[in-house]
Amino acid sequence: MSSLASRMKMREKLAGKPPFLAALDIGSSKVACLISKTSEGSKSVHVVGAGHQLSRGVKNGAISDMDSLERAIRVAVEQAERAADARISDVVLGISGPNLKSNYLDGGVNVGNREITQMHVRDAINSALATFDAPDRQILHATPLGFALDGAGGVKDPRGMIATRLTVTMLVVSGPAAPLKNIAQCVSRAHLNPVSIVASPYAAGLSVLVEDEIEQGATVIDMGGGVTSAACFYEGNLIYLDSIPVGGSRASSDLAQGLGTTFAAAERLKTLHGAVALTQVQAFDVVDAPRLGEDGRLEAGTTSKAELTNMLRPRFEEVLELLEKRLSKASAQYRPLPRRIVLTGGASQMPGIRDVAEEVFRAPVRLARPARVTGLGETYQVPTFSAVSGLLKWEMTGGAGAVAPMLSKSRGISNGSSIIERATNWLRENF
């Protein structure tokens, strides 16, 4: 943080003004910005400004045109600033791709049959993080899932206990380093300081899950335009995260090819009349569906809602089936993942999607929207903005119990050694 920004924050604090928190979520279909204002001592999040724009220059979560994305970021942030009557510089940045995934790391330290101290806990976690061997990937989150004393697991806080050896299991969420640096650089070019990068599916879970789901176990599936991701929670922790570069936009492409129309026209048809279950439509209802003529211009045409459904359903089934296979493989390879499914994200608003998801996952499914943030209004109190709402919740709770590397304009994304330093700092505050 610059000295000017520090002085401004200090003046606001001395003047008794509550601070502003800002979140910026960059997805394949939209860029969204929320600004919240919090009262001193309050842990609630109340939104006072919001803005969003079509996400131009992003494909499947990766930047394809930095200038176009920068303009979209500027417009979305300016909309939020006008609504909040405030200027922001620091933002928590949410990303939904590309290729986000989680891994488990194990580490340990010899205690020598003595009492375990805070230093032993730090050394055990540092040893686990040191095993992360992926120079082309950047750690976004690192969370200790549990400790074991001489092989006996299930220990949440080992301090004060006696053991010969202390071991820890860590969950780390990472993404490819170069694309993440490009996103951070683009945000910096918009004169914003990305203080943290957060995986959007993780943030979406913080926004839509109730406390019982976070503790007893639930899997949040964030269905975006270009990326579909899953975040599994259990006993208050994120225990698994994965993403695939396919989303609702692919279904629009299928519709455009099937009808012989433009992508924009197909997207409009999908939004206004689309469904993925025939029970959601009147089979003989006919809607306007313009087609491309011989001269390359749109001409009047019609189609039935049943035909739209038959074109859209296979793609949504494919996306959910692909994610279900990954979750099943992870359950067999690592640990059983929760079967309770919570759908959110823009593509989850497709009529009939819950029925399709229940068939694919063979488990109860509920549709969710932001529930732990106030002040969103009708426009933003929808599944499309679950992730950006969760970013504010993540920031309010100080990282929601996860170790997350900090960013700045000068340093860019933290390197491998700094994540261990961050882990140590987090442990000083929490153990």
Side-chain angles (χ1 to χ4, degrees):
M1 181 184 299
S2 67
S3 59
L4 176 59
S6 299
R7 290 196 299 272
M8 290 177 64
K9 285 182 176 292
M10 180 59 69
R11 284 200 300 268
E12 289 184 355
K13 186 175 181 180
L14 293 175
K17 298 179 180 179
F20 287 98
L21 305 178
L24 180 67
D25 183 50
I26 298 178
S28 299
S29 60
K30 73 178 186 318
V31 174
C33 178
L34 295 182
I35 301 175
S36 69
K37 197 172 185 180
T38 58
S39 302
E40 186 175 354
S42 174
K43 293 185 178 181
S44 63
V45 178
H46 182 74
V47 174
V48 294
H52 71 282
Q53 281 291 303
L54 290 177
S55 186
R56 306 189 184 280
V58 179
K59 185 176 182 180
N60 296 336
I63 295 180
S64 58
D65 186 336
M66 187 169 285
D67 290 336
S68 296
L69 179 58
E70 180 187 341
R71 286 193 294 271
I73 291 172
R74 287 178 182 271
V75 174
V77 172
E78 287 172 1
Q79 287 178 350
E81 287 178 332
R82 285 196 299 269
D85 192 21
R87 295 297 300 272
I88 62 170
S89 58
D90 295 344
V91 295
V92 173
L93 179 61
I95 52 103
S96 57
N99 195 22
L100 294 178
K101 67 178 183 179
S102 62
N103 297 96
Y104 294 101
L105 304 178
D106 295 311
V109 61
N110 293 323
V111 182
N113 201 29
R114 292 178 296 173
E115 181 178 322
I116 297 173
T117 65
Q118 181 176 319
M119 182 65 71
H120 293 133
V121 175
R122 290 203 301 266
D123 290 344
I125 287 186
N126 286 345
S127 69
L129 292 173
T131 64
F132 185 76
D133 186 19
D136 60 336
R137 296 187 66 82
Q138 168 63 41
I139 292 178
L140 299 178
H141 309 283
T143 307
L145 298 180
F147 298 88
L149 306 181
D150 297 331
V155 179
K156 290 188 175 295
D157 186 355
R159 293 175 302 169
M161 300 182 182
I162 297 174
T164 301
R165 182 169 177 80
L166 170 67
T167 56
V168 63
T169 298
M170 302 281 296
L171 179 87
V172 297
V173 177
S174 65
L180 292 178
K181 288 181 179 178
N182 289 335
I183 292 175
Q185 177 66 17
C186 188
V187 173
S188 296
R189 283 175 47 172
H191 303 292
L192 298 170
N193 180 33
V195 295
S196 295
I197 287 186
V198 181
S200 291
Y202 176 26
L206 298 178
S207 173
V208 303
L209 294 182
V210 299
E211 292 295 337
D212 183 76
E213 289 173 327
I214 294 177
E215 286 296 327
Q216 301 302 318
T219 296
V220 175
I221 297 179
D222 188 1
M223 305 183 69
V227 176
T228 302
S229 52
C232 302
F233 293 79
Y234 181 64
E235 293 185 342
N237 292 318
L238 177 72
I239 62 171
Y240 180 77
L241 187 144
D242 202 355
S243 64
I244 55 176
V246 185
S249 295
R250 188 69 63 88
S252 299
S253 297
D254 294 342
L255 202 59
Q257 295 181 27
L259 293 176
T261 187
T262 63
F263 179 85
E267 180 72 20
R268 186 174 185 275
L269 274 172
K270 184 187 75 173
T271 302
L272 295 178
H273 307 292
V276 291
L278 290 174
T279 56
Q280 300 290 322
V281 301
Q282 296 294 327
F284 298 103
D285 281 358
V286 175
V287 297
D288 292 332
R291 316 287 177 103
L292 285 172
E294 294 182 359
D295 59 355
R297 297 181 180 180
L298 287 176
E299 298 178 350
T302 60
T303 188
S304 67
K305 289 186 177 180
E307 184 179 3
L308 293 179
T309 300
N310 290 332
M311 291 183 187
L312 291 171
R313 183 182 176 105
R315 181 63 70 181
F316 280 90
E317 282 183 334
E318 179 190 33
V319 171
L320 293 175
E321 286 171 357
L322 180 56
L323 206 54
E324 194 278 333
K325 289 179 181 179
R326 292 205 181 192
L327 292 172
S328 297
K329 182 178 179 180
S331 291
Q333 185 175 359
Y334 301 112
R335 59 170 63 191
L337 298 178
R339 298 296 299 176
R340 186 188 303 185
I341 305 298
V342 178
L343 294 182
T344 194
S348 72
Q349 299 176 93
M350 180 64 59
I353 190 64
R354 181 167 61 183
D355 296 336
V356 175
E358 288 180 343
E359 291 179 12
V360 171
F361 291 98
R362 299 177 297 279
V365 176
R366 79 174 179 93
L367 303 180
R369 62 183 64 193
R372 308 180 73 182
V373 176
T374 61
L376 288 172
E378 293 184 2
T379 302
Y380 293 89
Q381 191 85 36
V382 294
T384 306
F385 299 98
S386 293
V388 68
S389 302
L391 294 175
L392 290 176
K393 192 67 179 178
W394 185 92
E395 187 176 15
M396 174 63 67
T397 56
V403 182
M406 303 303 289
L407 309 177
S408 71
K409 292 180 180 178
S410 58
R411 292 188 292 111
I413 298 181
S414 304
N415 56 30
S417 61
S418 62
I419 183 63
I420 298 178
E421 181 182 353
R422 281 282 296 159
T424 303
N425 293 337
W426 181 83
L427 283 164
R428 287 197 185 101
E429 299 173 359
N430 292 273
F431 283 96

